[in-house]
Amino acid sequence: QVQLVESGGGLVRPGESLRLSCAASGSVFTIYNMGWYRQIPGSTRELVALVLPGGITRYADSVKGRATISRDNNRNVATLQMSNLKPEDTAVYFCNVKHRLGDDEYDEWGQGTQVTVLP
């Protein structure tokens, strides 16, 4: 099994910053994508930030300029730093890892960590 350990969620005030980390361990093969997604009640899970092979990053429009994702390939860790947090950032945040072995691809999800920004 693959284990994704998420940390850094919590309660913050508007304008403050937060750092989320995700560490992958266990039966992990070659990781090619690591990212953070979020979901609020009644909505679909949406991409927040993604780091691709070669360090290419993608961000949701709603967090551009406020979020930075970084990746430590040697330790299989992805870190999401967010600043100037807003109440609309409140959601459950999920770490996602895509890895492969030969032609077989695997998709893994963390259990989610709550981020709450006070109104």
Side-chain angles (χ1 to χ4, degrees):
Q1 292 184 335
V2 173
Q3 184 178 15
L4 301 182
V5 179
E6 302 161 325
S7 62
L11 182 67
V12 298
R13 299 183 183 276
E16 293 183 339
S17 298
L18 194 70
R19 179 184 294 111
L20 302 178
S21 293
C22 174
S25 62
S27 300
V28 180
F29 305 118
T30 301
I31 296 175
Y32 58 95
N33 287 350
M34 295 190 75
W36 283 95
Y37 294 71
R38 67 187 181 188
Q39 188 170 15
I40 60 177
S43 299
T44 185
R45 191 169 299 180
E46 66 177 9
L47 173 71
V48 179
L50 181 68
V51 58
L52 306 171
I56 300 172
T57 57
R58 298 282 187 270
Y59 298 96
D61 289 340
S62 59
V63 303
K64 285 182 178 178
R66 302 188 297 117
T68 301
I69 188 168
S70 60
R71 176 179 175 180
D72 184 342
N73 290 338
N74 294 328
R75 299 191 298 121
N76 293 330
V77 174
T79 300
L80 176 68
Q81 297 189 55
M82 296 188 66
S83 62
N84 193 24
L85 286 161
K86 305 174 180 180
E88 50 263 44
D89 293 319
T90 296
V92 178
Y93 285 69
F94 297 88
C95 177
N96 174 253
V97 172
K98 290 180 170 60
H99 60 125
R100 62 176 177 262
L101 177 63
D103 292 332
D104 295 324
E105 297 184 353
Y106 304 88
D107 193 50
E108 314 289 349
W109 291 92
Q111 66 181 17
T113 183
Q114 177 71 42
V115 173
T116 300
V117 184
L118 294 172

